[in-house]
Amino acid sequence: MYKLSLTIALFGIFFCLGSAQTRVCPRKCELAFRCSPYYKDLVWSIVDGTCRVFQNGCLFSSENCNRVNSCKTKMEQTTREKCMKYCSDICPLGGSGLCASFAYTNADGTTGWKTRSFLNSCLLNRFACQQEMAYIGEPTEGECQKLQTRSKHNENWTSF
């Protein structure tokens, strides 16, 4: 009887350990909306200890949906003032480089994209936070290609 109880207990422990290591993501968020990257109504959030600014509530919700489906922690909206306290003051100078895209709308209503290169994500997030400019989507690895701006006005930003 003692050996049977011990065997059942050990089986239960191994079963619990095995299921605890397998993380099942419910993917319960369906992305069923399209967001305009040109509509600007900034949303602020502290993501992994860093202030992150989003172009508008729709893009914020879209990113939150992607996070839920990737089993990441849901982001919470905060105030600009609180978020600014989490802007990085000091960033490492190393990195392989990132290219971030920023949407803009001119006074005459024309829209376009500007790209800017950063050494690392810390510098990108610091720029976005301090300049109150949201980058759209996930940055790509490597430096931006020259003259990658897509608009009627051939503007381009310098690397940072």
Side-chain angles (χ1 to χ4, degrees), residues 20-38:
Q21 290 177 351
T22 304
R23 187 173 182 184
V24 177
C25 188
R27 297 188 186 276
K28 55 186 166 185
C29 181
E30 288 189 36
L31 193 59
F33 44 87
R34 296 193 73 167
C35 304
S36 170
Y38 304 110

Side-chain angles (χ1 to χ4, degrees), residues 4 7 20 23 28 32 62 73 86 97 122 130 141 147 152-153:
L4 180 61
T7 303
R23 187 173 182 184
K28 55 186 166 185
S62 176
T73 307
Y86 290 85
C122 181
Q130 290 176 348
E141 290 191 24
L147 301 175
K152 291 181 181 178
H153 311 286

Side-chain angles (χ1 to χ4, degrees), residues 130-150:
Q130 290 176 348
Q131 300 300 315
E132 299 184 22
M133 294 179 65
Y135 56 91
I136 308 298
E138 287 298 315
T140 57
E141 290 191 24
E143 289 193 24
C144 301
Q145 299 293 320
K146 291 190 184 250
L147 301 175
Q148 199 169 356
T149 302
R150 294 178 283 169

Side-chain angles (χ1 to χ4, degrees), residues 14 16 24 33 44 54 58 63 66 70-71 73 82 97 100 103 106 109 114:
F14 286 125
C16 288
V24 177
F33 44 87
W44 301 84
F54 294 86
C58 183
E63 179 64 24
N66 289 333
S70 299
C71 293
T73 307
K82 184 175 180 182
N106 288 329
K114 294 180 184 180

